[in-house]
């Protein structure tokens, strides 16, 4: 009787068995392939299952998704962009298993609520800032899912003062400014020689001027989006995880300064923004919790 968790991110697939004795070393991950995406997911799941009977599978996927239909359409997977019925495919691969799907931000919020920084908060925002930005919102102790399953998609909140084109077709989205891939492009356009988010974060930590500037404008944009969301939903806690969250003062100082400058409403001065303790495993952990949640 084994439950599995699968995370479909913008750059990788990750999978793990759901059990108390599983840790980060037991997570298996692979880059997103050019084709045969579901076959690669299935091979990864069978690898971590190690021949056990699968009774439940939780899937965290980059959006957009249609949770009711069990369909995902992440932009990074070309063959899935028009929609892939991942729940039906998983049910066919694991007959008798219960399969549950949620967008990655919702899964991260579930993980923070149960295992991370929002355990004691009834209302909170959880963000993951890596190549892309995802988010999940907890209100009254419950993670908000939304009409189609895409609630909490803070990466596509519009940020005042910015006009960068976004992959979604809009301009000025938070992800187009503060997402790791966008920050790398901005730095490269100003002469920085690196090519990845990890390199950008490392360069900013040793005070490379261009890398630090890229992280600084990301922090400012994140602060604006967080304050706006907190004002809308009356939140007093935001948790930031993902690769960019490890950038240190280059990101966190402008983020904190922006929150302090703009949290002026009478119910916002106590707004806290803290780093996640879950690292890059929040979405996968949330998928595991999704698989284990009893259904009535």
């Amino acid at each position: 009787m084994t439950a599995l968790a699968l995370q479909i991110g913008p750059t990788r697939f990750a999978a793990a068995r759901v059990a108390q004795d599983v840790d980060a070393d037991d997570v298996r991950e692979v880059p997103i392939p050019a084709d045969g995406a579901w076959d690669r997911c299935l091979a990864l799941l069978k690898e971590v299952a190690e021949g056990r009977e699968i009774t439940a599978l939780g899937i965290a996927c980059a959006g957009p998704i249609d949770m009711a239909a069990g369909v995902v359409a992440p932009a990074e997977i070309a063959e899935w962009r028009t929609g892939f019925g991942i729940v039906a495919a998983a049910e066919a691969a694991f007959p008798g298993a219960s399969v549950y799907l949620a967008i990655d931000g919702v899964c991260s919020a579930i993980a923070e609520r149960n295992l991370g920084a929002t355990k004691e908060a009834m209302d909170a925002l959880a963000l993951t800032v890596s190549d892309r930005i995802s988010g999940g919102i907890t209100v009254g102790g419950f993670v908000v899912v939304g009409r189609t399953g895409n609630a909490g998609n803070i990466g596509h909140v519009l940020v005042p003062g910015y006009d960068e084109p976004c992959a979604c077709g809009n301009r000025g989205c938070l992800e187009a400014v503060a997402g790791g891939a966008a920050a790398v492009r901005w730095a490269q356009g100003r002469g920085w020689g690196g090519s990845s988010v990890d390199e950008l974060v490392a360069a900013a930590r040793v005070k490379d001027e261009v890398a630090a500037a890229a992280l600084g404008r990301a922090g400012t944009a994140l602060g604006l989006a967080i304050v706006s969301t907190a004002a809308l939903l009356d939140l007093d806690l935001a948790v930031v995880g993902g690769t960019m969250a490890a950038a240190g003062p280059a990101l966190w100082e402008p983020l904190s300064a922006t929150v302090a400058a703009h949290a002026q409403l009478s119910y916002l001065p106590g707004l806290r923004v803290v780093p996640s303790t879950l690292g890059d495993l929040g979405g996968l952990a949330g998928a595991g919790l999704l698989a284990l949640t009893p259904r009535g």
Side-chain angles (χ1 to χ4, degrees), residues 46-220:
K46 290 183 176 180
E47 179 184 341
V48 298
E50 297 179 338
R52 298 177 177 88
E53 179 187 357
I54 305 307
T55 55
L57 170 63
I59 303 172
C61 187
I65 70 170
D66 183 332
M67 193 168 72
V71 173
V72 300
E76 290 78 11
I77 304 177
E79 61 195 290
W80 291 2
R81 284 177 192 160
T82 57
F84 173 66
I86 195 168
V87 170
E91 289 173 341
F94 301 104
S98 300
V99 180
Y100 306 104
L101 168 69
I103 197 169
D104 50 3
V106 165
C107 287
S108 293
I110 291 171
E112 292 290 352
R113 174 68 178 156
N114 287 272
L115 306 170
T118 69
K119 284 188 289 188
E120 306 301 324
M122 296 297 288
D123 307 282
L125 169 66
L127 299 89
T128 300
V129 187
S130 294
D131 286 82
R132 287 178 58 181
I133 296 177
S134 61
I137 297 166
T138 301
V139 175
F142 295 93
V143 177
V144 179
V145 173
R147 177 179 56 86
T148 62
N150 291 284
N153 201 351
I154 193 171
H156 297 284
V157 167
L158 301 180
V159 184
Y162 298 93
D163 192 47
E164 280 86 342
C166 183
C168 74
N170 208 343
R171 301 185 72 90
C173 292
L174 176 63
E175 186 171 284
V177 180
V184 166
R185 288 193 299 271
W186 187 90
Q188 288 173 334
R190 285 149 185 83
W192 181 68
S195 60
S196 71
V197 179
D198 286 331
E199 289 177 279
L200 186 72
V201 167
R205 292 183 71 88
V206 296
K207 304 189 185 308
D208 178 277
E209 290 186 8
V210 176
L215 270 294
R217 71 196 301 272
T220 297

Side-chain angles (χ1 to χ4, degrees), residues 219-287:
T220 297
L222 284 165
L224 291 170
I226 288 169
V227 170
S228 296
T229 304
L232 177 65
L233 297 173
D234 194 7
L235 307 177
D236 67 352
L237 176 62
V239 181
V240 182
T243 309
M244 296 275 278
L251 180 88
W252 283 93
E253 287 182 358
L255 194 164
S256 299
T258 300
V259 169
H262 292 277
Q264 297 299 317
L265 288 166
S266 61
Y267 56 90
L268 288 183
L271 175 60
R272 294 174 294 137
V273 185
V274 301
S276 173
T277 60
L278 301 180
D280 290 331
L281 297 179
L284 187 64

